[in-house]
Structure formats: C-alpha cells, structure tokens
Amino acid sequence: MTYGKIPEEVIDAVRKRHDIVDTVGKYVHLTKQGKYMKGLCPFHSEKTPSFTVTPELQIFHCYGCGKSGNVIRFVEEMEGYTFPEAVRVLAEEADIPVTWTSDGGSQQDPTRQKLVEAHELAVKFYHYFLNNARQGEKAKRYLRDRGMSDKLIDQFMIGYAPDDWDVLTKFLMGRGFDPVLLEQGGLISAKNDGSGYVDRFRGRIMFPLYDANGKASAFAARIVDEGSPKYLNSPESRLFVKSRTLYNLHLAKAAIRKRKQVVLFEGYMDVIKAWQAGVDNGIATMGTALTEEHCSMMRRHAEEVLLCYDGDDAGQAAAFKNIPLLEAAGLKVVMAVLPKGKDPDDYISEYGPDSFLREVIDSPVSVTKFKLIYSRKNHILLKEEGRKNYLMEAVAIVAGVESSTEREVYLKELSREFDISLDALKQDCHGMRLELQKKKPQRDNNDNSWNNGRNEKRRAPGAPKILPAYMHAERRLLHVMMQDKEIAEIVHERVGDAFNARDHAALAAYLYAYYAQGYEPDAARFVQTLDDPGLEETASSILLMEDNSSREETSLHAYIETILKEPELRNIERKKEEFARAERAGDAILAAQLYIEIMTLERGLKG
C-alpha cells in the first residue's frame, strides 16, 4: 500500500468521517433494499437500478458497469480527481488538517501545477487590466453595452489582454516561469525567428476557462476592434482538452445537482448572461462539437438536460444533431424554444431576464414537439402543397415516438388543426413505424450492456449463469477470508497461491500481505489497497454476495478440497480428450494406456 506521503491514518480518518451512503446520496437517489442501498448508476446509462451500496462494508458496486470501491474511489470517479485530490477534498470537508502537501507528498504533477499557477496569475493579470488600466476602458464599455454589470465581470473574472507584444510574457517570466512551459500551456508563442516570445492573446477580452475542480486551465478570447479571428481559444494542452471541458461547470455543479437538470448553451456569453438572469445551472461547450465525454460529464451530475441553442438554422441543426448523443448517455432531453434568429444573449437583452426565465427556461417542450415546431416553420401552410408536406413530415416525426399514448396526443392535435381523419393519420403512422422497425439494426448481445437504457427492450435474460464448482468455492472462501483474519491464515497455510482463477489468486495474495502487515478485517480499507480496477470490481462483487458462507471447519474443508482438486479434474478431462482422439485414430495401445491413467487419477481423487 503506497500513497506517496499521505499518512495512512489520514486516509483511514477520511474513510471513517465520510459515510458512503451520505456521500453517494449527494449524487444518487438511493432506496433501501434489505441491508443494501440501491439506485441508478451514475457512471453508465440504465433504467433499472444495479448500483449497490453496502453500509456495513462501506463499499459500492455496480452490477451493470462493474465500477467498485470505497468512498474515496467513488469521489475520484464522480469528480475526475486523482486519488490524492480526492483524499484532500474529503479531508478538507471533514476538517482534517491537510499537512502532507508541504513536502510534495500530494502526488501531483509539478509541471501541471506550475501551469495552473501561471494561468491563475494570468487570470488576475488580465482582470486587473480590464478594471484598472486605460487600455481596458474600451473593452469595459463593450461589456457594459452588452448588459454585463461590474459584479458579473468580477464573478467570472473577465479580463483584457493589452494590445502589446509581450506584456504577459514579461510579467510571467519575471515571476520565474519557464517560457517553454508557458508556450506549451498556450499562454505565449515563440517568435518565428527564434529570438524570444510574445503574448498569444493581444487586444482581446479574456474569458477564463476552468476545469471541473475550479482551476484555471485556458482562455476564450474575443477581439475588441475589427480583426480576425473574431474568437480565439487557447490551444489544447495538458490542462485544456476541448472534448472534456464544459464552461462554467465548476460554478454550476451545485445547482445542477440540486435541480438534477443542466441547461446547455452554445457559447460562454449565453451562459454568463443567463447566469445574470438567474439561470445558475447553465454550461456550454468550448468551440467544439458536443462529445460523448461531455455527455458523460453531464450525466454524472444531472438526469435531464435543457437544450437552449440559438434560434437560427445553425443552432437548430446543432440541437438536432446533439439530441441522440444526450439521450444515448441516459439523459432526458427537453428543448427551449427561442424566436427564429435569436440567441439567448439577444433574447435577454431585448425582452429582459424575467421573460427569458418564464417563456424560455421554464417553458420547455419535448423533443418531439420541438421537431414539429421547426418542421412547421419550413412549410407554407397557407398552400395546400405546404400543408400536405408538413403533415407527412409531422406524421413521420410522431412515428418515431415509442409511447403509444404520446403518439395519440400528437396525432389528435394534427387531426383537429388540419381537419384530417385521425384514423388516416394513425394508418400512415403505423406504416411508417413498420418501416422504421425494418431499418433498425440488430441489437447487440454484449453481456456488459444488459442493463443499459438503450438496450432495455432486448430479449429477456435467461437463467443466471451457473459457476463451476471451483469458482463458487473460491468466491465463497474469499468472501469469508476478507472478513475473518484467522480463516485467511488457515487458507494461506493449506491453499497458498493455488487458487485457480487468476483474479482470485491475486486477491488471496493481497489478503495475505494485508493481514501480514497487522491490519484487521476492514473491507473498504482492503479494497483501497488493491489499486487495480479489475481486482476492486472482483473483490466488491464477492463482498456483496449473500452472507451464507459457513465458517464451520467442515464447510471450509469442502471449499479447500474443491479448489485443490480442480487441477486434477482438468488433467483428467485432458486425458479423456486424448483417449477419445486415440480411439478415433484406431491406436488401441495408446487408448489403453490413457484409460489406465484416467482410472488411476479418478481413484486418487476419491481416495
């Protein structure tokens, strides 16, 4: 067990001060089922709870995706922390003194930390120039004209990069920062002739970007005067990866979790203006298309996403493209409807924050309704041809809805509005659904996706897989060993490393070492020592078995005998296969020899 310089007593204190049910309950709605707590897994899409928390053992395990561990591992996975970062955050929450970082024992990448420091300084530097320097006056006027208050500017630490060549470069190098590192972080650029460095951002309004933990990692910049490009982001670096960055997530996380909803905007200006209007659960992607990683990050904190994209054609095209991605991640999607050509920033400026909250944020429509609204706008309904084309397109949209009740509602609306027979619409809808069914690909049979929301309609699972006798015996024995030191010592003496399954042998070895260091049985602590996701999953699933493993000597002896006999049983099976091949080949002598060997081995097992 190696945790760098973090004292083990601190790790133990962190685990003991943070009950796993309370911690998981901040992210997952848990319900009691016997001695377990169950809920929908926050790490993958599912509609039937397979995520299990055991208060007695202080561990979690998902039977769907296999994620397992103790309270520290849960926070690591949920927040994207390293182990030391998770320990530090949990320690601070529990008022446990964080003393180990002073001697470098936090296991953090020193280069990364230096880059974070440089970005934090750059944020303050640019913010100072916007508020206090003559060069920033024009940028400040622009922001105020866009409806941003000084309080909002300070809250988001918006700044201004002077239109000079190397003002930030000199500032940071004067503080001892390596220019090569600053260039790698995207803050400065090397001159073409190799004679030095210049600032990457000049004459631009600077919007700091933060990672999910609230650490400055990059910038988005907008030019103040005429010029190209109008918008400029930091390049990707070890701090900043566009596909894993969501603007304002660090500030919005608490509100998102409270509401279980995230509002997804297209750009950072929309997020900031909406925040001022009272939308404190808004985020945006940063200059890149929505990715599966973005969706996964949102799913960790929310159950529903409200898409609030621009009302122009490009914004709606992006919304349509992103709906399947979000739904595939297990998020319910609802849509904000903006007037054609308006973006959230424009709407708030023109109609005010109250109208934005009432008419846009608090009045979302379903994905189907959204599609019907925007299909309608593409047809001239005053003309017969336009009405006919819209109706056929609308019925095709409704045909994609799974709920028969929901289909009925939309078809009745269309029937009333256009004075068309409901039966005729239903008939067309039914035909389109049949065509859609034909085009659907065969569902996968990946066992790991058994409880995925996207695979909910797969064939009913068959009977549970029956484990071989030796696997059952090894799991039962390990279950007892993880909770009884004396039995682990007996097994060590009689079985040693002779477990047949590789993961079981590895777990046994870890257990022997764990007890040899003087530790008492503690499931959560033992799981933490494994430092291997595969072994953690195996250990957690074994610990969550029904506790009907007898600890009587006769039962333990039976488990041990089953384990030790397995190699001989496999040897006999191999001999039988060789015997069958010899008979088919007509080699009577070899067949006789093998038959005698088989009989001898079988007698030995019975003896």
Side-chain angles (χ1 to χ4, degrees):
M1 291 171 287
T2 303
Y3 306 115
K5 298 289 181 65
I6 305 178
E8 283 193 40
E9 57 268 24
V10 170
I11 295 167
D12 289 341
V14 164
R15 287 192 300 103
K16 289 172 183 174
R17 297 278 286 277
H18 288 274
D19 182 80
I20 195 164
V21 174
D22 294 338
T23 301
V24 173
K26 295 176 183 176
Y27 303 83
V28 180
H29 177 67
L30 296 171
T31 56
K32 188 171 178 60
Q33 291 189 18
K35 64 179 181 180
Y36 304 118
M37 304 292 290
K38 291 197 172 183
L40 294 173
C41 180
F43 305 119
H44 81 290
S45 168
E46 65 176 11
K47 295 185 179 180
T48 304
S50 63
F51 184 82
T52 303
V53 177
T54 311
E56 181 184 358
L57 301 175
Q58 289 292 297
I59 60 172
F60 72 92
H61 178 71
C62 176
Y63 290 97
C65 67
K67 296 279 188 185
S68 305
N70 62 17
V71 69
I72 299 173
R73 173 51 61 89
F74 179 81
V75 172
E76 279 184 71
E77 294 285 350
M78 284 301 301
E79 300 292 354
Y81 292 152
T82 62
F83 176 78
E85 286 172 340
V87 173
R88 173 202 286 250
V89 169
L90 291 170
E92 289 173 345
E93 287 180 5
D95 293 325
I96 297 170
V98 178
T99 59
W100 63 90
T101 54
S102 59
D103 59 4
S106 63
Q107 292 186 354
Q108 301 214 359
D109 180 346
T111 303
R112 180 184 176 87
Q113 285 299 104
K114 204 70 179 170
L115 270 179
V116 170
E117 289 174 25
H119 277 83
E120 296 282 0
L121 278 172
V123 168
K124 294 172 183 175
F125 180 84
Y126 290 140
H127 188 62
Y128 173 85
F129 262 86
L130 177 72
N131 286 320
N132 300 286
R134 181 180 55 80
Q135 297 100 311
E137 290 175 357
K138 188 174 184 179
K140 191 72 172 283
R141 282 197 304 273
Y142 169 83
L143 291 170
R144 284 174 173 163
D145 289 343
R146 292 289 298 269
M148 289 196 191
S149 65
D150 288 352
K151 180 181 177 182
L152 197 68
I153 290 168
D154 289 342
Q155 187 164 15
F156 285 88
M157 288 299 287
I158 301 169
Y160 175 71
D163 197 12
D164 296 321
W165 282 102
D166 57 0
V167 115
L168 180 70
T169 303
K170 288 178 178 175
F171 173 74
L172 291 176
M173 288 177 64
R175 298 265 180 140
F177 287 92
D178 180 358
V180 175
L181 181 65
L182 297 176
E183 185 186 19
Q184 290 172 355
L187 289 169
I188 67 176
S189 302
K191 291 182 180 179
N192 292 332
D193 60 6
S195 62
Y197 296 86
V198 294
D199 296 353
R200 176 178 176 81
F201 299 102
R202 299 188 299 278
R204 291 178 178 272
I205 297 172
M206 305 298 291
F207 297 86
L209 308 182
Y210 300 87
D211 64 18
N213 305 322
K215 294 179 181 176
S217 59
F219 289 93
R222 188 197 190 283
I223 201 162
V224 177
D225 297 311
E226 295 300 318
S228 182
K230 185 176 181 180
Y231 299 99
L232 181 66
N233 285 347
S234 294
E236 292 204 345
S237 68
R238 62 197 307 162
L239 295 186
F240 175 54
V241 180
K242 291 180 184 179
S243 65
R244 295 201 296 268
T245 300
L246 290 167
Y247 182 75
N248 198 47
L249 181 59
H250 67 298
L251 292 179
K253 268 194 299 189
I256 291 170
R257 287 176 188 154
K258 183 178 180 180
R259 293 176 176 78
K260 297 184 179 179
Q261 183 201 60
V262 58
V263 181
L264 182 61
F265 295 99
E266 280 191 83
Y268 52 84
M269 283 296 290
D270 295 330
V271 172
I272 295 170
K273 289 293 291 292
W275 181 282
Q276 189 171 20
V279 181
D280 56 0
N281 57 334
I283 60 173
T285 53
M286 287 310 309
T288 185
L290 188 73
T291 66
E292 289 184 4
E293 288 171 297
H294 287 139
C295 296
S296 178
M297 289 171 69
M298 284 186 270
R299 180 64 183 85
R300 292 177 187 173
H301 305 289
E303 295 175 1
E304 179 180 273
V305 58
L306 170 59
L307 265 181
C308 191
Y309 278 14
D310 296 354
D312 58 15
D313 291 341
Q316 300 317 300
F320 284 129
K321 181 180 177 182
N322 290 339
I323 289 167
L325 262 180
L326 292 161
E327 290 180 334
L331 287 156
K332 178 186 176 184
V333 182
V334 291
M335 313 294 293
V337 180
L338 286 161
K340 191 171 180 64
K342 297 288 184 187
D343 62 28
D345 182 8
D346 296 332
Y347 188 99
I348 293 168
S349 297
E350 187 170 341
Y351 299 105
D354 290 342
S355 176
F356 181 70
L357 289 176
R358 184 177 63 254
E359 303 296 334
V360 178
I361 298 300
D362 294 337
S363 304
V365 300
S366 68
V367 168
T368 303
K369 187 71 174 178
F370 178 78
K371 290 177 179 178
L372 291 171
I373 290 169
Y374 279 92
S375 169
R376 187 187 188 96
K377 291 181 179 181
N378 292 326
H379 299 282
I380 301 172
L381 300 184
L382 294 175
K383 295 184 177 181
E384 184 179 348
E385 186 71 13
R387 289 196 299 275
K388 183 192 75 174
N389 290 338
Y390 167 66
L391 270 172
M392 294 305 294
E393 196 170 296
V395 172
I397 290 169
V398 175
V401 176
E402 289 297 323
S403 166
S404 57
T405 303
E406 196 175 344
R407 289 198 302 272
E408 179 97 0
V409 169
Y410 291 124
L411 292 177
K412 279 185 176 178
E413 286 181 2
L414 291 169
S415 173
R416 284 194 298 268
E417 182 179 0
F418 292 93
D419 195 23
I420 298 291
S421 162
L422 178 60
D423 288 339
L425 292 175
K426 283 184 175 180
Q427 188 174 343
D428 283 348
C429 185
H430 179 68
M432 290 177 183
R433 281 187 63 77
L434 290 177
E435 289 301 314
L436 287 173
Q437 292 294 332
K438 290 177 185 177
K439 293 176 183 178
K440 278 187 178 180
Q442 292 295 314
R443 296 184 185 275
D444 63 69
N445 60 358
N446 179 355
D447 289 338
N448 289 331
S449 62
W450 68 273
N451 196 29
N452 191 300
R454 287 168 282 170
N455 296 306
E456 192 181 42
K457 298 187 182 296
R458 287 176 54 193
R459 65 183 184 278
K465 185 178 178 181
I466 299 174
L467 293 174
Y470 78 91
M471 287 285 286
H472 178 79
E474 289 180 358
R475 288 173 66 85
R476 286 296 180 193
L477 205 53
L478 285 166
H479 180 89
V480 177
M481 290 165 64
M482 282 190 273
Q483 300 173 73
D484 193 314
K485 185 175 183 178
E486 290 183 8
I487 290 175
E489 289 171 352
I490 293 169
V491 175
H492 186 196
E493 182 180 336
R494 295 183 58 185
V495 180
D497 61 356
F499 283 80
N500 296 282
R502 185 174 61 182
D503 279 1
H504 295 170
L507 278 178
Y510 271 105
L511 265 173
Y512 301 150
Y514 177 80
Y515 288 133
Q517 294 177 65
Y519 295 111
E520 293 302 314
D522 183 331
R525 181 183 219 175
F526 172 67
V527 169
Q528 186 71 60
T529 69
L530 297 174
D531 199 28
D532 179 293
L535 289 180
E536 287 183 24
E537 177 184 340
T538 303
S540 297
S541 65
I542 290 172
L543 282 163
L544 289 173
M545 292 166 62
E546 287 300 321
D547 194 7
N548 56 4
S549 301
S550 173
R551 303 191 186 190
E552 294 178 5
E553 188 175 345
T554 51
S555 299
L556 296 175
H557 177 74
Y559 292 146
I560 290 170
E561 286 300 309
T562 300
I563 293 167
L564 295 177
K565 284 180 178 179
E566 178 60 21
E568 285 301 313
L569 289 172
R570 291 182 185 178
N571 189 28
I572 289 170
E573 286 303 311
R574 283 194 296 270
K575 295 287 184 184
K576 286 181 177 179
E577 290 172 6
E578 292 174 20
F579 172 74
R581 286 196 295 270
E583 280 200 319
R584 286 196 298 269
D587 191 339
I589 295 174
L590 178 58
Q593 289 174 346
L594 288 167
Y595 179 77
I596 293 169
E597 289 179 24
I598 291 167
M599 295 298 290
T600 303
L601 289 170
E602 287 182 338
R603 279 197 301 270
L605 278 179
K606 291 176 183 177

